[in-house]
Amino acid sequence: MKKIIAFSDCDGTLLFDDYKFSDYTIITVKNIYENGSYLIPITARTLKNLKNIAKQLKIDELGGIIAGNNGAQIFDFKTGKYILNKIVDKNIIDEIFDLYYTEADEEKECKVNFTSEEIVYSFGESENTKKWAKIMEQQFKVISNSNEIVEDIVSISIITKKGTDLETYLHHFNKIKAKYGSDYRIDNYHNRVISIAPKDIDKGYAVEIINNYLNSSGPYETYGFGDSYNDFPLIAAVDYGIAMKNALDELKETAYDITEYPNYQDGVARYINDKIFKK
């Protein structure tokens, strides 16, 4: 059998909608590694949370690689060391905090979340952010001063109020892009969220780093599986970019192929078994 690296997003892709894996997917991952190939989860989830997800797939025992925070943290279980570990500088944390923080909730044009491996620091209460913090196995902490942020921050999210018009959102986005775009990666999500991450970081950059890291034991054919906006760089960086059946239409239009089954029917594992290893 040929050797491959299958890079896969987690939510909406490799994971079922209940955030679990089927036995079929777990067995498929084992077979991939025993073939001398890799399945590498590459996700927006924190590395801490991703390590626990990877353990469900036995990737830790198989000596695999994982990439969290959209590729800012890449970890090799075989060596127990980081391949890449990038964080946001303290200066920008203080600046963003001072730029957007007010004590009165009704005066806040935007809410800001500062995400670390262990804690999501936020300007105010948010049930949705709390829900995701719980899923990611993080604490949720409301803060009123940037000095309360005591952990390394891997990303910052500036979230405009619900119902904010596009012109107002773009005002905030363009302001952040102009001020920090030369030193940080600035992304737009759903015309409501502005993401600030370390320079050059995205899933495509992670693919490049991992390919270079594994080059001595290659060559591999590379495949990438995804379903959403942050998967465009992943799809573009691999030899064969595969969109999930349940993916965004825009991602399907740019992909090499589309899975026959959605994430909740083992779309990734079925594609690997039926279309890659049977070639």
Side-chain angles (χ1 to χ4, degrees):
M1 297 172 75
K2 74 177 90 174
K3 289 189 176 183
I4 69 163
I5 305 175
F7 299 93
S8 179
D9 176 47
C10 285
D11 296 283
T13 304
L14 195 63
L15 279 165
F16 277 24
D17 291 340
D18 61 0
Y19 310 122
K20 295 179 181 178
F21 299 105
S22 70
D23 290 340
Y24 180 75
T25 289
I26 293 170
I27 292 169
T28 296
V29 171
K30 181 174 183 289
N31 291 338
I32 289 170
Y33 275 90
E34 288 181 347
N35 174 55
S37 297
Y38 288 83
L39 185 138
I40 299 176
I42 181 167
T43 173
R45 287 177 177 249
T46 65
L47 193 72
K48 174 192 173 183
N49 178 242
L50 183 55
K51 283 181 178 180
N52 291 330
I53 290 173
K55 287 177 181 178
Q56 295 178 45
L57 294 170
K58 311 296 185 186
I59 289 177
D60 57 332
E61 298 175 13
L62 295 164
I65 293 170
I66 56 175
N69 294 302
N70 285 323
Q73 279 76 39
I74 306 175
F75 185 79
D76 184 352
F77 279 109
K78 186 179 292 184
T79 64
K81 296 180 180 179
Y82 284 98
I83 299 170
L84 184 71
N85 185 20
K86 288 199 171 185
I87 59 173
V88 176
D89 187 84
K90 175 63 174 168
N91 289 334
I92 190 176
I93 294 169
D94 294 337
E95 288 178 14
I96 294 294
F97 191 98
D98 292 340
L99 187 62
Y100 282 105
Y101 184 77
T102 64
E103 290 189 3
D105 286 343
E106 64 273 12
E107 295 178 7
K108 290 184 172 72
E109 288 190 3
C110 302
K111 180 181 71 177
V112 182
N113 294 334
F114 303 87
T115 301
S116 75
E117 289 297 308
E118 299 285 345
I119 302 172
V120 178
Y121 300 92
S122 182
F123 280 2
E125 296 289 338
S126 167
E127 291 306 314
N128 188 56
T129 303
K130 277 185 175 180
K131 181 190 84 170
W132 275 102
K134 185 175 180 180
I135 291 170
M136 301 283 191
E137 304 170 84
Q138 296 167 297
Q139 299 176 51
F140 176 84
K141 184 175 181 180
V142 176
I143 57 173
S144 58
N145 189 299
S146 62
N147 289 332
E148 296 178 70
I149 300 173
V150 295
E151 292 198 323
D152 290 337
I153 297 301
V154 295
S155 67
I156 301 172
S157 298
I158 302 168
I159 306 155
T160 56
K161 286 183 178 180
K162 284 184 180 179
T164 298
D165 61 81
L166 182 59
E167 184 179 355
T168 301
Y169 171 80
L170 290 176
H171 165 74
H172 289 288
F173 179 81
N174 291 330
K175 178 172 66 175
I176 295 299
K177 185 85 170 176
K179 187 172 179 63
Y180 300 109
S182 61
D183 298 315
Y184 290 88
R185 181 179 178 88
I186 314 298
D187 283 313
N188 156 36
Y189 291 104
H190 311 292
N191 288 332
R192 187 168 174 235
V193 179
I194 304 161
S195 171
I196 303 174
K199 183 74 172 174
D200 299 324
I201 291 300
D202 61 25
K203 293 185 179 184
Y205 182 68
V207 167
E208 179 184 343
I209 294 292
I210 294 168
N211 282 341
N212 290 337
Y213 180 76
L214 293 174
N215 185 53
S216 62
S217 55
Y220 300 92
E221 280 187 355
T222 57
Y223 294 79
F225 296 87
D227 74 303
S228 195
Y229 293 100
N230 62 347
D231 296 316
F232 279 97
L234 168 61
I235 295 297
V238 294
D239 296 326
Y240 304 98
I242 315 299
M244 301 301 294
K245 184 176 182 179
N246 52 285
L248 296 170
D249 288 339
E250 301 96 312
L251 192 68
K252 291 178 180 177
E253 290 171 3
T254 64
Y256 167 80
D257 202 359
I258 301 169
T259 63
E260 185 176 352
Y261 298 93
N263 65 302
Y264 52 85
Q265 292 181 333
D266 293 306
V268 173
R270 287 177 184 268
Y271 191 97
I272 291 171
N273 288 320
D274 297 342
K275 290 196 174 184
I276 298 178
F277 282 143
K278 283 192 176 179
K279 276 188 179 180

